[in-house]
Amino acid sequence: MLVEYALIPDIFDANCYDYPELCSSRIEYIKDALLEEALVRDLRNGEWCKYFQTYLKKNGDSWPQRSKEIIKKLIKQNRLRRVPAIQEAIPSNYIEWCHEAIISHEQEPLNGVITTQSVATAVSKPDLVVSIDKLSGAVWWQNRSPSVRLYRTTNDYLRHLQLVFCHANSIMFIDPYIDPLNDGYIEFNKLLAAIKKNDLPPVIEIHLCHLAKSITKSQYEADFRNKLSTVINKAGLTVEVFIWDNFHDRYLISNLIGINLPHGFGISDPDTPHPMTTWTRLGRKDRDDIQREFDPASGRHKLQHRFTVS
Protein backbone atom coordinates (compact mmCIF):
# COMPACT_ATOMS: atom_id res chain seq x y z
CA MET A 1 0.00 0.00 0.00
CA LEU A 2 2.88 2.36 0.79
CA VAL A 3 5.63 2.42 -1.87
CA GLU A 4 9.18 3.76 -1.87
CA TYR A 5 11.02 5.75 -4.52
CA ALA A 6 14.47 7.22 -4.90
CA LEU A 7 14.46 10.74 -6.34
CA ILE A 8 17.63 11.95 -8.01
CA PRO A 9 18.19 15.66 -7.26
CA ASP A 10 18.32 16.57 -10.96
CA ILE A 11 14.51 16.36 -11.25
CA PHE A 12 14.26 19.49 -9.08
CA ASP A 13 16.85 21.43 -11.13
CA ALA A 14 15.34 23.42 -14.01
CA ASN A 15 18.72 23.46 -15.76
CA CYS A 16 18.43 19.69 -16.31
CA TYR A 17 15.45 20.03 -18.65
CA ASP A 18 15.38 20.96 -22.34
CA TYR A 19 13.08 23.81 -21.35
CA PRO A 20 13.40 25.13 -17.75
CA GLU A 21 9.65 25.66 -17.41
CA LEU A 22 9.16 21.89 -17.76
CA CYS A 23 10.66 21.34 -14.31
CA SER A 24 7.69 22.71 -12.38
CA SER A 25 5.13 20.85 -14.51
CA ARG A 26 6.95 17.53 -14.08
CA ILE A 27 7.21 18.02 -10.32
CA GLU A 28 3.52 18.87 -10.20
CA TYR A 29 2.80 15.60 -12.05
CA ILE A 30 4.40 13.45 -9.33
CA LYS A 31 3.46 15.61 -6.31
CA ASP A 32 0.26 13.81 -5.27
CA ALA A 33 1.84 10.37 -5.64
CA LEU A 34 4.74 11.38 -3.39
CA LEU A 35 2.58 13.01 -0.72
CA GLU A 36 -0.25 10.46 -0.66
CA GLU A 37 1.21 7.03 -1.28
CA ALA A 38 5.00 7.02 -1.00
CA LEU A 39 8.17 7.30 1.00
CA VAL A 40 11.30 8.79 -0.53
CA ARG A 41 14.60 7.10 0.19
CA ASP A 42 16.93 9.44 2.10
CA LEU A 43 20.13 8.04 0.68
CA ARG A 44 23.42 7.75 2.56
CA ASN A 45 21.90 7.96 6.04
CA GLY A 46 20.43 11.40 5.49
CA GLU A 47 23.08 12.93 3.25
CA TRP A 48 20.52 13.13 0.42
CA CYS A 49 18.40 15.48 2.55
CA LYS A 50 21.43 17.44 3.71
CA TYR A 51 22.40 17.92 0.06
CA PHE A 52 19.11 19.74 -0.58
CA GLN A 53 19.28 21.80 2.58
CA THR A 54 22.83 22.94 1.76
CA TYR A 55 22.06 23.60 -1.90
CA LEU A 56 18.93 25.59 -1.19
CA LYS A 57 20.77 27.82 1.27
CA LYS A 58 23.45 28.62 -1.32
CA ASN A 59 21.50 28.54 -4.57
CA GLY A 60 17.85 28.56 -3.56
CA ASP A 61 16.93 31.34 -5.97
CA SER A 62 17.98 29.23 -8.97
CA TRP A 63 15.47 26.43 -8.32
CA PRO A 64 11.74 26.68 -9.15
CA GLN A 65 9.38 27.37 -6.27
CA ARG A 66 7.56 24.09 -6.97
CA SER A 67 10.78 22.14 -6.40
CA LYS A 68 11.45 23.87 -3.10
CA GLU A 69 7.86 23.36 -1.95
CA ILE A 70 7.80 19.61 -2.56
CA ILE A 71 11.15 19.08 -0.81
CA LYS A 72 9.92 21.00 2.23
CA LYS A 73 6.67 19.01 2.31
CA LEU A 74 8.47 15.69 2.07
CA ILE A 75 10.56 16.66 5.08
CA LYS A 76 7.64 18.12 7.06
CA GLN A 77 5.42 15.08 6.44
CA ASN A 78 8.16 12.65 7.53
CA ARG A 79 8.24 10.97 4.13
CA LEU A 80 12.02 10.63 3.96
CA ARG A 81 13.29 7.20 4.96
CA ARG A 82 16.97 7.03 5.84
CA VAL A 83 18.98 4.13 4.50
CA PRO A 84 22.69 3.32 4.95
CA ALA A 85 25.36 4.76 2.69
CA ILE A 86 26.54 2.26 0.09
CA GLN A 87 29.44 3.82 -1.79
CA GLU A 88 32.45 5.14 0.09
CA ALA A 89 32.46 8.62 -1.43
CA ILE A 90 29.64 11.15 -1.25
CA PRO A 91 28.20 11.64 -4.75
CA SER A 92 29.52 14.74 -6.48
CA ASN A 93 27.10 14.81 -9.42
CA TYR A 94 23.65 13.57 -10.41
CA ILE A 95 24.89 10.41 -12.12
CA GLU A 96 26.75 9.38 -8.96
CA TRP A 97 23.59 9.98 -6.92
CA CYS A 98 21.76 7.68 -9.30
CA HIS A 99 24.40 4.97 -8.91
CA GLU A 100 24.02 5.28 -5.13
CA ALA A 101 20.26 4.74 -5.52
CA ILE A 102 20.75 1.72 -7.79
CA ILE A 103 23.16 0.02 -5.40
CA SER A 104 20.89 0.88 -2.47
CA HIS A 105 18.05 -0.84 -4.35
CA GLU A 106 20.24 -3.93 -4.76
CA GLN A 107 20.74 -4.01 -0.99
CA GLU A 108 17.06 -3.37 -0.19
CA PRO A 109 14.57 -3.22 -3.09
CA LEU A 110 12.55 -0.07 -3.71
CA ASN A 111 9.81 0.52 -6.29
CA GLY A 112 11.63 2.82 -8.69
CA VAL A 113 14.17 5.57 -9.28
CA ILE A 114 13.07 8.86 -10.85
CA THR A 115 15.59 11.07 -12.65
CA THR A 116 15.91 13.14 -15.84
CA GLN A 117 16.48 11.81 -19.33
CA SER A 118 20.24 12.43 -19.52
CA VAL A 119 20.94 10.55 -16.27
CA ALA A 120 18.53 7.71 -17.13
CA THR A 121 20.32 7.26 -20.46
CA ALA A 122 23.75 7.34 -18.80
CA VAL A 123 23.01 4.63 -16.23
CA SER A 124 20.92 2.45 -18.59
CA LYS A 125 18.72 0.63 -16.06
CA PRO A 126 15.33 0.95 -17.80
CA ASP A 127 13.47 -1.47 -15.53
CA LEU A 128 14.36 0.58 -12.45
CA VAL A 129 15.57 4.05 -13.44
CA VAL A 130 13.10 6.12 -15.45
CA SER A 131 13.11 9.69 -16.66
CA ILE A 132 10.43 11.86 -15.09
CA ASP A 133 9.39 12.71 -18.67
CA LYS A 134 8.58 9.05 -19.36
CA LEU A 135 7.11 7.90 -16.06
CA SER A 136 3.77 7.00 -17.61
CA GLY A 137 5.52 4.22 -19.53
CA ALA A 138 7.27 2.67 -16.52
CA VAL A 139 5.72 -0.63 -15.45
CA TRP A 140 6.22 0.12 -11.75
CA TRP A 141 4.50 3.49 -12.16
CA GLN A 142 1.62 1.96 -14.14
CA ASN A 143 1.15 -0.65 -11.40
CA ARG A 144 0.31 1.98 -8.79
CA SER A 145 -3.14 1.31 -7.39
CA PRO A 146 -5.34 2.64 -4.57
CA SER A 147 -6.24 -0.93 -3.61
CA VAL A 148 -4.65 -4.32 -3.12
CA ARG A 149 -5.94 -7.87 -2.93
CA LEU A 150 -4.35 -9.95 -0.18
CA TYR A 151 -4.85 -13.05 1.90
CA ARG A 152 -6.36 -12.68 5.36
CA THR A 153 -3.18 -13.85 7.04
CA THR A 154 -0.75 -12.11 9.36
CA ASN A 155 2.10 -12.65 6.90
CA ASP A 156 0.26 -10.80 4.14
CA TYR A 157 -0.77 -8.02 6.52
CA LEU A 158 2.85 -7.55 7.54
CA ARG A 159 4.06 -7.64 3.94
CA HIS A 160 1.82 -4.74 2.97
CA LEU A 161 2.32 -2.76 6.20
CA GLN A 162 6.07 -3.16 6.60
CA LEU A 163 6.99 0.38 5.52
CA VAL A 164 4.20 1.88 7.62
CA PHE A 165 5.25 -0.03 10.73
CA CYS A 166 8.91 0.92 10.28
CA HIS A 167 8.47 4.61 9.59
CA ALA A 168 5.12 6.04 10.77
CA ASN A 169 4.95 8.59 13.58
CA SER A 170 1.43 7.54 14.54
CA ILE A 171 -0.64 4.39 14.01
CA MET A 172 -4.31 3.85 14.80
CA PHE A 173 -5.79 0.33 14.69
CA ILE A 174 -9.56 0.85 14.31
CA ASP A 175 -11.55 -2.38 14.45
CA PRO A 176 -14.65 -2.92 16.62
CA TYR A 177 -13.82 -6.58 17.28
CA ILE A 178 -10.15 -6.52 18.33
CA ASP A 179 -9.76 -9.09 21.10
CA PRO A 180 -6.36 -10.76 21.60
CA LEU A 181 -8.08 -13.81 23.14
CA ASN A 182 -10.35 -14.30 20.14
CA ASP A 183 -9.14 -16.88 17.60
CA GLY A 184 -9.40 -14.34 14.78
CA TYR A 185 -7.04 -11.95 16.58
CA ILE A 186 -4.75 -14.51 18.17
CA GLU A 187 -1.82 -13.19 16.07
CA PHE A 188 -2.48 -9.49 16.66
CA ASN A 189 0.60 -9.46 18.88
CA LYS A 190 2.73 -10.03 15.75
CA LEU A 191 1.46 -6.78 14.25
CA LEU A 192 2.50 -4.86 17.35
CA ALA A 193 5.87 -6.62 17.46
CA ALA A 194 6.56 -5.50 13.87
CA ILE A 195 6.31 -1.80 14.78
CA LYS A 196 9.81 -0.41 15.03
CA LYS A 197 11.19 3.10 15.28
CA ASN A 198 14.80 3.47 16.34
CA ASP A 199 14.73 7.14 17.34
CA LEU A 200 11.21 7.87 18.61
CA PRO A 201 8.46 5.23 19.01
CA PRO A 202 5.22 6.08 17.20
CA VAL A 203 2.02 7.03 18.97
CA ILE A 204 -0.13 3.88 18.88
CA GLU A 205 -3.87 3.70 19.48
CA ILE A 206 -6.29 0.77 19.37
CA HIS A 207 -9.99 1.52 18.97
CA LEU A 208 -12.71 -1.11 19.48
CA CYS A 209 -16.26 -1.42 20.77
CA HIS A 210 -17.85 -4.89 20.53
CA LEU A 211 -16.95 -6.89 23.62
CA ALA A 212 -18.30 -10.38 24.17
CA LYS A 213 -21.42 -10.32 26.38
CA SER A 214 -19.67 -12.44 28.96
CA ILE A 215 -16.80 -9.99 29.49
CA THR A 216 -16.66 -6.66 31.29
CA LYS A 217 -14.51 -3.72 30.26
CA SER A 218 -12.23 -4.24 33.25
CA GLN A 219 -11.85 -7.93 32.41
CA TYR A 220 -11.03 -7.05 28.81
CA GLU A 221 -8.31 -4.69 30.05
CA ALA A 222 -6.86 -7.44 32.25
CA ASP A 223 -6.91 -9.94 29.38
CA PHE A 224 -5.35 -7.40 27.01
CA ARG A 225 -2.52 -6.73 29.44
CA ASN A 226 -1.93 -10.43 30.10
CA LYS A 227 -1.78 -11.24 26.39
CA LEU A 228 0.02 -8.21 24.92
CA SER A 229 1.93 -6.30 27.61
CA THR A 230 5.07 -8.42 27.15
CA VAL A 231 5.36 -7.78 23.40
CA ILE A 232 4.48 -4.09 23.87
CA ASN A 233 7.11 -3.67 26.58
CA LYS A 234 9.75 -5.59 24.63
CA ALA A 235 9.22 -3.38 21.57
CA GLY A 236 9.52 -0.25 23.72
CA LEU A 237 6.04 0.91 22.75
CA THR A 238 3.17 2.60 24.52
CA VAL A 239 -0.34 1.62 23.38
CA GLU A 240 -3.48 3.50 24.30
CA VAL A 241 -6.72 1.51 24.06
CA PHE A 242 -10.14 3.11 23.54
CA ILE A 243 -13.40 1.20 23.99
CA TRP A 244 -16.35 3.02 22.38
CA ASP A 245 -20.10 2.57 22.50
CA ASN A 246 -20.48 1.67 18.83
CA PHE A 247 -18.91 1.92 15.39
CA HIS A 248 -18.68 -0.41 12.42
CA ASP A 249 -15.99 0.39 9.84
CA ARG A 250 -12.39 -0.78 10.14
CA TYR A 251 -9.26 1.21 9.30
CA LEU A 252 -5.55 1.59 9.76
CA ILE A 253 -4.76 5.31 10.05
CA SER A 254 -1.22 6.65 10.18
CA ASN A 255 0.46 9.96 9.41
CA LEU A 256 1.68 8.41 6.12
CA ILE A 257 -1.35 6.55 4.81
CA GLY A 258 -4.91 5.56 5.67
CA ILE A 259 -6.37 2.17 4.69
CA ASN A 260 -9.93 0.89 4.70
CA LEU A 261 -9.99 -2.75 5.88
CA PRO A 262 -13.32 -4.56 5.27
CA HIS A 263 -12.40 -7.42 7.62
CA GLY A 264 -10.26 -5.45 10.04
CA PHE A 265 -7.17 -7.09 11.52
CA GLY A 266 -8.69 -10.50 12.10
CA ILE A 267 -7.24 -13.50 10.30
CA SER A 268 -9.24 -16.25 8.65
CA ASP A 269 -9.98 -19.69 10.01
CA PRO A 270 -7.06 -21.98 9.05
CA ASP A 271 -9.59 -24.45 7.67
CA THR A 272 -10.92 -21.89 5.16
CA PRO A 273 -9.03 -22.30 1.86
CA HIS A 274 -7.27 -19.14 0.63
CA PRO A 275 -9.63 -16.43 1.96
CA MET A 276 -8.88 -12.99 0.51
CA THR A 277 -9.89 -9.39 1.12
CA THR A 278 -9.35 -6.00 -0.53
CA TRP A 279 -7.65 -3.08 1.20
CA THR A 280 -8.24 0.43 -0.17
CA ARG A 281 -6.08 3.48 0.37
CA LEU A 282 -7.92 6.55 1.66
CA GLY A 283 -7.48 10.10 0.43
CA ARG A 284 -5.85 12.60 2.76
CA LYS A 285 -9.13 14.33 3.67
CA ASP A 286 -10.88 11.05 4.55
CA ARG A 287 -7.86 9.94 6.56
CA ASP A 288 -7.83 13.18 8.54
CA ASP A 289 -11.62 13.05 9.07
CA ILE A 290 -11.44 9.53 10.49
CA GLN A 291 -8.58 10.48 12.79
CA ARG A 292 -10.64 13.37 14.15
CA GLU A 293 -13.69 11.12 14.49
CA PHE A 294 -11.84 8.92 16.99
CA ASP A 295 -10.53 11.82 19.05
CA PRO A 296 -12.46 11.70 22.37
CA ALA A 297 -12.82 15.47 22.23
CA SER A 298 -14.81 15.27 19.00
CA GLY A 299 -17.89 13.81 20.64
CA ARG A 300 -18.62 11.66 17.59
CA HIS A 301 -18.67 8.47 19.68
CA LYS A 302 -19.30 7.83 23.34
CA LEU A 303 -16.16 6.62 25.10
CA GLN A 304 -16.81 3.68 27.45
CA HIS A 305 -13.33 2.89 28.75
CA ARG A 306 -9.72 3.88 28.16
CA PHE A 307 -6.39 2.48 29.35
CA THR A 308 -2.69 2.53 28.50
CA VAL A 309 -0.19 -0.31 28.23
CA SER A 310 3.57 0.23 28.03
Side-chain angles (χ1 to χ4, degrees), residues 256-289:
L256 299 173
I257 192 174
I259 306 172
N260 179 272
L261 320 163
H263 291 279
F265 301 95
I267 57 176
S268 61
D269 188 322
D271 296 330
T272 304
H274 308 299
M276 298 192 76
T277 187
T278 301
W279 286 3
T280 305
R281 185 176 61 247
L282 300 168
R284 175 182 294 276
K285 182 181 183 302
D286 291 335
R287 186 183 77 200
D288 292 345
D289 286 347

Side-chain angles (χ1 to χ4, degrees), residues 26-304:
R26 295 294 185 259
I27 295 301
E28 183 66 25
Y29 174 67
I30 65 172
K31 180 188 72 173
D32 287 345
L34 296 180
L35 298 180
E36 294 286 341
E37 61 195 60
L39 293 178
V40 172
R41 187 161 290 191
D42 195 356
L43 299 166
R44 300 188 59 83
N45 198 31
E47 287 175 357
W48 183 91
C49 182
K50 290 178 183 177
Y51 169 87
F52 284 110
Q53 293 171 329
T54 300
Y55 188 93
L56 290 176
K57 285 181 181 179
K58 293 180 178 179
N59 308 287
D61 293 340
S62 67
W63 277 23
Q65 187 62 30
R66 185 66 71 198
S67 293
K68 292 183 280 189
E69 286 175 357
I70 192 68
I71 293 168
K72 290 177 182 177
K73 285 183 178 180
L74 289 170
I75 296 171
K76 182 178 179 180
Q77 294 184 18
N78 190 42
R79 290 190 176 271
L80 302 184
R81 176 173 175 261
R82 287 190 178 187
V83 294
I86 305 299
Q87 302 181 102
E88 184 175 344
I90 299 175
S92 59
N93 56 54
Y94 295 140
I95 291 178
E96 290 180 4
W97 274 113
C98 196
H99 282 303
E100 178 75 22
I102 292 170
I103 302 173
S104 177
H105 164 75
E106 293 170 354
Q107 296 291 318
E108 183 181 356
L110 45 70
N111 292 80
V113 179
I114 304 175
T115 186
T116 56
Q117 185 59 51
S118 60
V119 174
T121 301
V123 300
S124 188
K125 287 277 187 178
D127 292 337
L128 175 68
V129 181
V130 176
S131 167
I132 194 170
D133 300 293
K134 298 181 178 179
L135 264 182
S136 60
V139 173
W140 47 263
W141 188 261
Q142 294 172 355
N143 288 341
R144 293 162 48 244
S145 173
S147 62
V148 63
R149 289 281 289 165
L150 70 163
Y151 292 106
R152 291 181 56 202
T153 63
T154 300
N155 286 341
D156 246 16
Y157 295 170
L158 291 173
R159 182 164 62 90
H160 288 284
L161 295 175
Q162 178 185 9
L163 283 176
V164 179
F165 284 171
C166 290
H167 196 69
N169 285 340
S170 63
I171 301 171
M172 298 171 67
F173 297 92
I174 302 174
D175 180 340
Y177 295 99
I178 292 177
D179 181 351
L181 297 186
N182 182 289
D183 287 346
Y185 295 86
I186 199 70
E187 294 183 354
F188 187 74
N189 62 317
K190 294 182 180 180
L191 300 183
L192 295 177
I195 299 173
K196 294 180 175 64
K197 194 84 182 290
N198 293 329
D199 46 359
L200 183 65
V203 175
I204 302 172
E205 297 178 0
I206 294 176
H207 298 262
L208 66 138
C209 62
H210 288 300
L211 300 181
K213 292 181 180 180
S214 60
I215 188 172
T216 64
K217 290 182 281 292
S218 58
Q219 183 59 53
Y220 177 89
E221 177 178 345
D223 291 343
F224 188 99
R225 293 182 185 278
N226 289 336
K227 178 67 176 179
L228 298 178
S229 60
T230 299
V231 68
I232 290 171
N233 182 266
K234 185 176 180 180
L237 305 173
T238 296
V239 177
E240 192 161 13
V241 182
F242 299 79
I243 303 178
W244 301 94
D245 59 338
N246 187 44
F247 68 86
H248 179 270
D249 292 341
R250 292 104 166 161
Y251 307 99
L252 182 131
I253 303 294
S254 76
N255 62 299
L256 299 173
I257 192 174
I259 306 172
N260 179 272
L261 320 163
H263 291 279
F265 301 95
I267 57 176
S268 61
D269 188 322
D271 296 330
T272 304
H274 308 299
M276 298 192 76
T277 187
T278 301
W279 286 3
T280 305
R281 185 176 61 247
L282 300 168
R284 175 182 294 276
K285 182 181 183 302
D286 291 335
R287 186 183 77 200
D288 292 345
D289 286 347
I290 293 165
Q291 186 171 21
R292 285 191 291 268
E293 178 181 339
F294 286 90
D295 180 345
S298 73
R300 292 288 298 276
H301 302 288
K302 185 178 179 181
L303 185 62
Q304 302 287 320

